[in-house]
Amino acid sequence: MALAPKDQFIDDALEKRRDQHRLRQLRPLDPLDTVTVSDDGRQLINFSGNDYLGLSKHPEVIARSKKYAQEFGTSATASRLISGSYSIHQQLERKLANTFDWEAALVFNSGFQANSTIISTLADRHALILADKLSHNSLLQGSLSSRATFRRFEHNSISDLEQQLERASGEDFSRIIVITESLFSMDGDRSDLQAMAELTQAHNAWLFVDDAHAVGVWGKDGLGLTYVIRGIDMVLGTCGKAYGGFGAYLLCSEKVRTYLINFCPGFIYTTALPPAAIGAIDASLELIPELDETREQLLKNIQLVKEGIHQAGFTTGDSSTQIIPIMVGGEQDTLELAEYLEEHGFLATAIRPPTVPKGGARIRITLSSEHSTAQIENFLNALQSWSNG
Ligand SMILES: Cc1ncc(COP(=O)(O)O)c(C=O)c1O
């Protein structure tokens, strides 16, 4: 049989995406301030960013980022284990561990990289991974590449998790790792971490929690939904969201940290985070506990937006946070609504399968403390006018 042209599979895949209205495209959107972007000169209010506290433009965060670049250069120039582990990397890890009351912390280059490499380092092919059905793709990648037995439990269902743990106790796994997010990235709802911690402890299972969207915003002093919950073995925090920076870190025991430094490929075989990124994280980490008023403002914004969305006739699922899905359902309708909002000056991204389950297409709003009441009201008016037809 003659071989098809070698890039035929690419044409086929893209055509299928186009037919399904699922083709994704990049566009240049330059930030003008924390919530406004410029699309080729046209201003749009951004309801799709993760700068929840406006820290990406905070003068102290920018100043420390610049200072570290000036003092230490633009690159760490090597991986951590070769010569890229500067004093600032290690000081930051100590500061993270102290701030969050953990024995140890280890910095990674991104949340995606951390999740995909940590899970596959902890699990071997004799292990069992139990993941919440809506876990982020990076957690999925880590689970699949470990070659462990991979099972999902119903989203946020403690009873399903319990049944699966019971079932696993009769099987012969080397270890069990339970994975969840504290605040789900597409639905904006939260998991019951206390119950999960008790359950995993009772079953001698590890509990890995991705706190990416919660840290900075939720919990005492903005230290995340995992803060002060006993029985969690590892917490992943990302720095590209509320921190307004870039990178990620794992909170864990000294033993786990040493194990990862020795065995985790995504930690070992990559250039360390550049000084400018370390500086931004360092400054945000100091600022976050002081930002209760900023968090209060964000809560007010959440309240206002949710009320308006409901008044416009949409549901918001189980969201109880700054991530709010405006449920539409159909992919075409969702795209049309996103376009309509954009014509009215708002960036509110359509999220479609396969990122969310089939029939779950939505506009996903993410709020910042920096959105003004006027910006929110204008957005809600546009949504209402779409609903009025
Ligand atoms: C829940 C969750 N975990 C991890 C990540 C990845 O983090 P990063 O953007 O630092 O790669 C994201 C965001 O994209 C996320 O939503």
Side-chain angles (χ1 to χ4, degrees):
M1 199 174 73
L3 275 179
K6 68 181 180 191
D7 58 357
Q8 182 68 47
F9 75 99
I10 296 179
D11 291 332
D12 295 346
L14 291 178
E15 196 178 315
K16 193 168 165 205
R17 278 276 162 101
R18 246 177 239 116
D19 289 348
Q20 294 169 326
H21 306 289
R22 288 186 191 172
L23 190 69
R24 294 155 156 163
Q25 274 163 321
L26 292 172
R27 54 196 282 206
L29 293 169
D30 292 325
L32 299 174
D33 59 34
T34 45
V35 292
T36 316
V37 295
S38 162
D39 177 18
D40 210 11
R42 187 165 164 257
Q43 287 193 20
L44 295 170
I45 306 302
N46 187 3
F47 281 98
S48 293
N50 300 316
D51 193 3
Y52 301 131
L53 306 172
L55 286 177
S56 75
K57 308 282 185 302
H58 194 289
E60 286 177 41
V61 178
I62 294 174
R64 193 148 331 154
S65 182
K66 274 182 170 169
K67 178 174 182 281
Y68 277 27
Q70 252 150 6
E71 268 178 46
F72 298 94
T74 52
S75 169
T77 72
S79 61
R80 293 284 303 272
L81 282 172
I82 303 297
S83 63
S85 197
Y86 294 1
S87 56
I88 49 175
H89 293 88
Q90 281 171 239
Q91 280 159 13
L92 175 63
E93 285 169 343
R94 186 70 343 249
K95 200 174 197 169
L96 283 161
N98 290 345
T99 305
F100 289 95
D101 279 337
W102 279 77
E103 209 175 274
L106 190 62
V107 167
F108 285 81
N109 288 9
S110 76
F112 192 98
Q113 192 167 331
N115 282 343
S116 53
T117 195
I118 294 168
I119 306 293
S120 55
T121 308
L122 289 170
D124 63 10
R125 66 194 170 88
H126 306 292
L128 169 67
I129 295 174
L130 292 173
D132 186 289
K133 221 172 194 164
L134 296 190
S135 296
H136 191 259
N137 185 278
S138 52
L139 295 162
L140 187 68
Q141 297 301 330
S143 303
L144 297 180
S145 63
S146 71
R147 297 192 298 150
T149 301
F150 179 64
R151 295 175 187 157
R152 300 188 208 226
F153 56 93
E154 290 302 322
H155 176 52
N156 267 346
S157 169
I158 297 296
S159 61
D160 191 30
L161 174 61
E162 185 165 20
Q163 273 177 26
Q164 299 220 30
L165 283 166
E166 292 292 334
R167 176 183 161 201
S169 61
E171 298 173 274
D172 193 21
F173 293 110
S174 58
R175 49 196 167 270
I176 301 171
I177 301 167
V178 173
I179 293 175
T180 191
E181 287 173 40
S182 59
L183 191 174
F184 285 87
S185 61
M186 289 298 136
D187 291 63
D189 55 343
R190 313 174 202 205
S191 48
D192 184 348
L193 294 177
Q194 189 64 54
M196 289 181 85
E198 284 164 21
L199 206 51
T200 46
Q201 281 201 317
H203 287 82
N204 191 28
W206 292 82
L207 178 57
F208 180 103
V209 180
D210 181 336
D211 215 15
H213 292 276
V215 72
V217 178
W218 299 97
K220 185 176 174 299
D221 295 337
L223 294 177
L225 290 169
T226 55
Y227 188 58
V228 305
I229 295 187
R230 296 204 179 281
I232 299 175
D233 296 289
M234 281 160 287
V235 170
L236 188 279
T238 53
C239 307
K241 304 186 195 298
Y243 279 76
F246 184 73
Y249 55 85
L250 185 75
L251 303 170
C252 57
S253 65
E254 275 300 348
K255 192 194 290 188
V256 168
R257 181 174 187 270
T258 307
Y259 178 71
L260 293 173
I261 290 171
N262 280 277
F263 292 101
C264 184
F267 175 82
I268 299 170
Y269 300 104
T270 187
T271 303
L273 271 187
I278 298 290
I281 303 171
D282 193 66
S284 291
L285 185 59
E286 282 171 19
L287 286 166
I288 280 171
E290 310 295 320
L291 296 179
D292 276 349
E293 268 180 38
T294 312
R295 283 184 280 275
E296 279 295 315
Q297 184 57 50
L298 179 54
L299 287 183
K300 284 187 195 148
N301 288 355
I302 295 169
Q303 189 66 23
L304 186 62
V305 167
K306 274 183 85 170
E307 279 169 18
I309 294 173
H310 295 157
Q311 269 166 22
F314 293 96
T315 58
T316 51
D318 290 329
S319 167
S320 58
T321 65
Q322 76 279 15
I323 298 177
I324 307 177
I326 303 176
M327 294 304 199
V328 182
E331 290 166 44
Q332 186 61 29
D333 287 348
T334 308
L335 282 178
E336 281 171 17
L337 175 53
E339 271 167 33
Y340 180 85
L341 290 169
E342 196 169 317
E343 280 160 21
H344 288 74
F346 305 102
L347 186 67
T349 315
I351 308 279
R352 294 163 282 161
T355 306
V356 290
K358 206 157 177 273
R362 65 197 65 180
I363 301 288
R364 173 177 170 268
I365 302 295
T366 45
L367 294 176
S368 168
S369 55
E370 304 306 289
H371 284 115
S372 69
T373 306
Q375 287 168 335
I376 290 174
E377 282 172 352
N378 289 341
F379 171 78
L380 293 171
N381 287 340
L383 193 65
Q384 184 71 57
S385 67
W386 163 271
S387 280
N388 295 344

